Every structure is written in C-alpha cells, then in structure tokens.
Amino acid sequence: MAMVQAKSLATTCIAQKNMMWDVPDNWTMEEASTIPCVYSTVYYALSIRGKMKKGESILIHAGSGGVGQAAISVALDAGLTVFTTVGSKEKRDYLKKTFPKVSLLLYLCFFNYFFLSIFFSLLTVTLATHVIAHSNK
C-alpha cells in the first residue's frame, strides 16, 4: 500500500519508499484501502491546519466513523484530551471499548444535536466576546 505526494489519482505511479508500508497479515485489502484516505484527512486537519499540541482538547463529531476513529487515535497519541459524539448507544459502547482514554462520549439524538449546536454557538459567541474585550486592554 502507498500514497503519492500531490498526485491523488493516477493509473500508474512511482511511489517513494517513505510513503509505502506493509499491509498487516490480518487485514483484508478492502480494510487496508480505507486507511490512506481517513488518516491523510486527519493528518491534514489536525496537524497541518489545526496545529494540535499536547495538552489541548478536541471535540470530534461522529467519532465512530472512519475519520472519527482515526482522529481519536491520532489525537490520543498526540496527548490531546478527546471528547466525541456518537449517534447510538451501540456506537458509544464500541468507542468506550476501543478507546478507553476518551474523556467524554456523548450519545446524541436529534434533540441533543439541536441543543448542542445552540450550546456551542453561545459558547463561541461568549469566548469571542471575551477575547475581543480583553484584547483591547
């Protein structure tokens, strides 16, 4: 399996050795094919754009999906405090078992999504107001 820098689609390619890795024996090719997309997405979001640092906190929405699980794994490995949302009790139980270091797993139904969106909107406005007010001193 491999990734190629800056050329995401091609019929043939010459891969660099540092962009290649072995597929574990217990993985199917279908399982292995999911890894480059989700982990490159997470790497770009958390490392390049987010500039994550040890000790920070992160809220990962839909933590039981492919990108969500990759984000949890990378964030925990980097020393972040992880909070995540899931859409069912089964998914919550799965993530509790898979990632016991996750600080908070929120099971959100439709009502809770609405409540959470309002909560974070108010929190964002409050924090922005705080930053603006204190940056003018």
Side-chain angles (χ1 to χ4, degrees), residues 26-104:
N26 61 334
W27 288 10
T28 65
M29 289 305 289
E30 290 82 5
E31 291 169 328
S33 70
T34 66
I35 300 303
C37 181
V38 295
Y39 276 89
S40 60
T41 299
V42 167
Y43 174 75
Y44 179 74
L46 300 185
S47 297
I48 303 298
R49 300 294 294 188
K51 299 183 184 344
M52 68 178 169
K53 294 178 186 72
K54 184 176 182 172
E56 292 181 328
S57 297
I58 186 170
L59 171 63
I60 299 169
H61 183 61
S64 61
V67 174
Q69 288 184 54
I72 291 170
S73 179
V74 169
L76 288 174
D77 189 59
L80 275 66
T81 300
V82 175
F83 303 93
T84 188
T85 63
V86 293
S88 72
K89 292 176 183 171
E90 294 78 18
K91 291 176 182 179
R92 181 189 61 195
D93 294 342
Y94 172 78
L95 287 183
K96 277 184 179 179
K97 180 180 168 194
T98 306
F99 300 104
K101 291 184 179 180
V102 170
S103 298
L104 179 64

